[in-house]
Amino acid sequence: MPARSARKPTEAPDLEAAADDILAAAAVEAEPPHPDVALVERAKAGDTAAFEVLISQYQRQIFRTANHITQNREDAEDITQDVFFKAFQKLDQFQGNSKFSTWLVRIAVNESLMRLRKRKTSKTVSMDQDVETEEGSIPRDFAEWRPNPEQNYNQAELAEILRKTIAGLPPGFRTVFTLRDIENMSTEETAEALGLSVPAVKSRLLRARLQLRERLSRYFRKPKEALQ
Amino acid sequence: MNCTDFLAKLTDYFDGHIDPALLAEVKEHIGCCHHCEVVVDTTRKTIEVYRGNQTYELPEDLHLRMKDAVMKRCLETGRLPDIELKGKKIPSPEEFIKEQSEI
């Protein structure tokens, strides 16, 4: 008797677990595969035209990412070509566990940080460089900005302000801000591309945003006479 | 909610990943703290201005030339044989930098 009554509680959860598994499998089956999966499979099978389509789709994104991290257009052009060449060579390593674009971004970040490291031969450059600094982690500037403050500058002036401002961020912050806020990747994708935890991405993103805000404030704040 | 608590929730607030009860607290704080209101407005504008003003977009002719150059390299060199790739993954940036430093 005790054996029978003891078995009952374990039977019900097993059935529930099985039902959950079936529902989860059905949900996976219902989700259509990303169109890149077919292109990657075709490229792996030797269809170079399929790989050319992937380059066309992602070359601009990879270039922008490399350009933002290195702050150098020529380096970004070289890096972009290297990224697709390396991706082609190592296509069999892509197992489809992440998006193809996230995989490309990871290669692009690696190559960009390496390029920065080569530029600063005496210093190492890594995702962790300067992230321990407390600078910008607490807002200090509470000045209001003009409405549409960017309209006070012509396009070239604004581009230079934005370039100088983001160039002043440590590489680890600049990379997270680029992927998350400029390229609009999700926090999870950003974490995957950078090999960071989601809380680490959130923490760096907050500090990157606050530091940029402080630095832009000197250009965008309301003039003092407007406050009176 | 004080200013420190508010700052800790700022990323989730901007990303819309915040539960309704906490969102109400954040909004209440913004409503009564002018400094935090300014931080929200100017941080939001910072993100908008970077999103809306790409400093440089790859021109179409350069995009095509770069694509052709990559394809030429790919076709000349081919893919790495499976034996060289076995069990390897693209490293995270930290692992990659470490690997390169050791070479």
Side-chain angles (χ1 to χ4, degrees), chain A residues 72-151:
Chain A
N72 183 292
R73 207 176 291 176
E74 285 77 27
D75 281 351
E77 286 175 19
D78 290 346
I79 289 165
T80 303
Q81 295 186 50
D82 288 347
V83 167
F84 285 101
F85 177 61
K86 287 190 175 176
F88 181 80
Q89 281 196 308
K90 299 179 177 186
L91 213 47
D92 285 324
Q93 286 182 358
F94 178 70
Q95 299 298 319
N97 298 327
S98 59
K99 281 188 191 172
F100 186 66
S101 57
T102 307
W103 191 67
L104 289 176
V105 166
R106 176 177 271 220
I107 303 174
V109 172
N110 288 351
E111 295 295 321
S112 301
L113 293 177
M114 269 310 294
R115 195 61 70 116
L116 289 181
R117 184 169 167 263
K118 280 179 188 163
R119 238 191 263 161
K120 299 180 178 183
T121 47
S122 62
K123 286 172 81 180
T124 55
V125 171
S126 80
M127 284 296 296
D128 281 331
Q129 188 189 330
D130 296 340
V131 296
E132 297 308 322
T133 176
E134 286 303 309
E135 192 209 341
S137 57
I138 299 164
R140 288 188 170 80
D141 188 318
F142 300 107
E144 289 179 41
W145 289 3
R146 301 179 182 103
N148 304 312
E150 69 275 27
Q151 290 175 6

Side-chain angles (χ1 to χ4, degrees), chain B residues 16-53:
Chain B
H17 299 148
I18 192 162
D19 73 65
L22 206 50
L23 178 62
E25 279 187 56
V26 168
K27 284 184 173 173
E28 190 185 335
H29 180 75
I30 295 169
C32 64
C33 175
H34 182 62
H35 280 181
C36 287
E37 186 187 9
V38 169
V39 169
V40 167
D41 289 346
T42 52
T43 306
R44 182 179 285 124
K45 189 68 196 174
T46 298
I47 299 166
E48 280 174 13
V49 95
Y50 269 100
R51 274 202 188 141
N53 293 277

Side-chain angles (χ1 to χ4, degrees), chain B residues 50-85:
Chain B
Y50 269 100
R51 274 202 188 141
N53 293 277
Q54 286 302 327
T55 48
Y56 176 77
E57 272 290 343
L58 207 54
E60 185 63 18
D61 61 334
L62 183 56
H63 163 71
L64 293 174
R65 269 192 282 127
M66 284 168 62
K67 188 179 74 168
D68 289 347
V70 172
M71 286 311 296
K72 189 164 176 272
R73 268 171 87 187
C74 291
L75 293 172
E76 279 171 4
T77 315
R79 282 165 45 211
L80 288 178
D82 284 350
I83 195 158
E84 283 189 38
L85 301 171

Side-chain angles (χ1 to χ4, degrees), chain A residues 202-218:
Chain A
K202 285 184 180 181
S203 161
R204 290 177 193 205
L205 181 61
L206 172 67
R207 293 169 71 181
R209 286 169 169 173
L210 291 178
Q211 286 192 25
L212 287 175
R213 184 200 81 88
E214 296 275 328
R215 290 160 197 230
L216 283 180
S217 192
R218 74 186 73 146

Side-chain angles (χ1 to χ4, degrees), chain A residues 146-209:
Chain A
R146 301 179 182 103
N148 304 312
E150 69 275 27
Q151 290 175 6
N152 288 284
Y153 299 93
N154 68 38
Q155 209 175 354
E157 286 170 338
L158 180 65
E160 182 57 14
I161 289 169
L162 298 182
R163 191 199 62 74
K164 271 195 308 195
T165 306
I166 200 170
L169 286 184
F173 291 174
R174 190 158 72 230
T175 304
V176 170
F177 182 80
T178 298
L179 301 189
R180 187 66 195 79
D181 278 343
I182 301 179
E183 291 306 320
N184 219 8
M185 287 171 67
S186 70
T187 305
E188 289 72 18
E189 282 171 343
T190 305
E192 199 177 332
L194 301 180
L196 294 171
S197 66
V198 165
V201 168
K202 285 184 180 181
S203 161
R204 290 177 193 205
L205 181 61
L206 172 67
R207 293 169 71 181
R209 286 169 169 173

